[in-house]
Amino acid sequence: MISYNYQEFNTSPNRYLGLDGENVVVYEEQAEIGRVPLHNLQGIVTFGYTGASPALMGACAKRDVAISFLSGSGRFLARVSGEVRGNITLRKEQYCQTMDSEKSMQIARNCILGKVYNAKWVLERACRDNGMRIDVERIKRKSAFLSESMKRIRVCEQAAELRGLEGEAASVYFSVFNELILQQKTEFIFNKRTKRPPLDPVNAMLSFSYTLLTGMCASALETVGLDPYAGFFHTDRPGRLSLALDIVEELRSIMGDRFVLTMINKKIIKPEDFLQKENGAVIMEDNARKLFLSHWQTKKQEVIKHPYLEEKVEWGMIPHVQAMLLARYIRGDLEEYPPFFWK
């Protein structure tokens, strides 16, 4: 199990989280092996199926400390949070817009436009920074295709067409993703995106990073008063964080993919950090997950200039800024929702 944002625990599947006064306590076979003050935590992530005590879940809900439950392979299972808060007027307007095909398309289109734009610039940045080590001509062709995709997305009016354009662009982008792996190339090979389950170490890390990013976006949306389950591009499904996934689309390549590439190319994560299960699923070892999360937290603290606000913010605050901008658009304070355009 791992808590994040101030404290990290080992990810052993035999450990259980409990509450003692104002402290989160980690138990292994009923023996206490660690504790951390609850007020130091912004969120808790647990791996495996041993879980957390009802007392701890209640205390976390009261203090707005979300607990996310993931399987041993990093697949999202559930999230426990406190009472629904937020502006009821804002949420009513959100629900109305999700049922208005024209307004819904406006938001969905901008989210996917942000996704394709950022994917394009991940490729362009790779050409600029590593032109002598990659097939620049091939990557430039894919980048040009993504540019054409953006033109079509801007004038797209139908949800089915938008989903097709998004899927096509993602396929083109991932077709050259292996080129961006510069170190440990024989051990970390990416052929295609596999999700349930991930079938190689690269996909295992991509899926894990997207899970973490989804949790960040869900928390950000709740903070500004929006319902993270009522989306515009992703359709409603019980238990599905559809709106959080909409925001994730913009940030996948720049926050998730680039981070995974850094972990590989800087040799922070090694081939021996992974296990393959009988069903072919590839998962990270416990210590590798801990290392991954430690570097993820460090990355979140890096400061960048937000392209729309033109203000300096930490990477970890980008989901909160986008959630705020989306809320302002839904309230009618902005003419359109400005996606995050990275360059």
Side-chain angles (χ1 to χ4, degrees):
M1 298 180 180
I2 290 183
S3 66
Y4 61 84
N5 279 352
Y6 290 99
Q7 181 72 34
E8 296 179 357
F9 299 125
N10 200 309
T11 56
S12 169
N14 299 318
R15 294 179 179 175
Y16 182 82
L17 294 179
L19 181 70
D20 181 18
E22 294 294 314
N23 296 291
V24 180
V25 182
V26 185
Y27 297 98
E28 185 167 18
E29 297 180 354
Q30 300 184 337
E32 179 182 329
I33 62 169
R35 63 172 53 210
V36 62
L38 185 55
H39 69 264
N40 281 353
L41 300 176
Q42 295 178 3
I44 297 173
V45 179
T46 77
F47 297 86
Y49 299 96
T50 49
S53 73
L56 175 61
M57 288 189 282
C60 287
K62 183 178 179 181
R63 293 163 178 79
D64 197 27
V65 177
I67 305 181
S68 297
F69 295 90
L70 279 62
S71 70
S73 62
R75 180 173 60 86
F76 178 81
L77 299 173
R79 185 169 179 269
V80 176
S81 57
E83 295 181 1
V84 172
R85 289 180 294 278
N87 188 323
I88 184 60
T89 305
L90 174 62
R91 290 204 174 198
K92 282 184 176 180
E93 182 60 30
Q94 176 189 356
Y95 299 144
C96 287
Q97 293 193 20
T98 61
M99 293 183 286
D100 184 317
S101 59
E102 183 177 344
K103 291 184 177 180
S104 185
M105 175 58 67
Q106 290 175 355
I107 298 174
R109 187 167 51 224
N110 279 13
C111 288
I112 301 307
L113 190 62
K115 173 179 183 173
V116 178
Y117 178 95
N118 291 331
K120 168 186 169 62
W121 280 104
V122 167
L123 300 183
E124 290 289 337
R125 179 72 70 91
C127 292
R128 187 195 73 183
D129 295 344
N130 301 288
M132 301 298 293
R133 307 172 68 183
I134 60 177
D135 188 341
V136 171
E137 183 178 347
R138 182 180 178 220
I139 292 179
K140 285 287 187 179
R141 287 199 303 271
K142 305 300 182 180
S143 176
F145 182 93
L146 296 181
S147 294
E148 291 300 314
S149 293
M150 285 189 285
K151 294 179 183 178
R152 296 163 64 190
I153 289 169
R154 285 191 175 96
V155 297
C156 177
E157 298 292 342
Q158 300 298 321
E161 181 186 1
L162 182 61
R163 286 192 290 271
L165 291 171
E166 181 273 334
E168 184 180 44
S171 178
V172 168
Y173 165 73
F174 277 124
S175 71
V176 289
F177 192 74
N178 194 60
E179 289 277 350
L180 310 186
I181 299 174
L182 306 176
Q183 299 290 339
Q184 309 183 90
K185 289 186 70 70
T186 58
E187 297 89 353
F188 290 94
I189 299 173
F190 181 89
N191 292 316
K192 65 178 181 178
R193 181 78 179 104
T194 57
K195 306 174 185 178
R196 300 181 182 88
L199 299 177
D200 59 67
V202 180
N203 274 293
M205 287 190 287
L206 289 175
S207 291
F208 189 35
S209 70
Y210 298 161
T211 297
L212 295 173
L213 192 53
T214 301
M216 291 171 61
C217 291
S219 296
L221 291 163
E222 288 181 341
T223 298
V224 301
L226 291 170
D227 184 345
Y229 291 89
F232 298 95
F233 177 72
H234 290 85
T235 55
D236 293 344
R237 184 185 301 170
R240 185 189 207 182
L241 291 161
S242 295
L243 185 57
L245 293 172
D246 288 350
I247 303 298
V248 167
E249 293 295 353
E250 302 173 40
L251 306 177
R252 283 181 190 272
S253 60
I254 52 173
M255 291 187 71
D257 301 355
R258 292 182 71 242
F259 180 78
V260 168
L261 289 169
T262 296
M263 297 294 282
I264 297 172
N265 290 335
K266 289 189 175 182
K267 299 183 179 180
I268 299 168
I269 292 290
K270 306 292 181 60
E272 56 267 26
D273 290 328
F274 298 85
L275 290 174
Q276 186 169 33
K277 303 178 73 174
E278 291 182 359
N279 66 349
V282 174
I283 63 173
M284 278 188 283
E285 291 268 23
D286 294 338
N287 288 335
R289 275 202 299 256
K290 181 177 179 180
L291 184 64
F292 190 100
L293 280 169
S294 176
H295 284 269
W296 178 265
Q297 289 304 112
T298 300
K299 177 64 179 179
K300 284 168 58 180
Q301 295 170 10
E302 292 183 8
V303 176
I304 64 166
K305 185 176 182 179
H306 192 281
Y308 180 79
L309 298 181
E310 296 188 343
E311 296 178 2
K312 291 183 178 180
V313 297
E314 294 182 354
W315 266 114
M317 289 301 296
I318 296 302
H320 291 270
V321 174
Q322 294 308 120
M324 176 196 69
L325 293 172
L326 180 57
R328 290 178 62 185
Y329 169 73
I330 291 173
R331 283 196 299 263
D333 298 335
L334 294 175
E335 292 186 0
E336 65 175 332
Y337 166 64
F340 184 84
F341 289 141
W342 175 81
K343 189 172 179 180

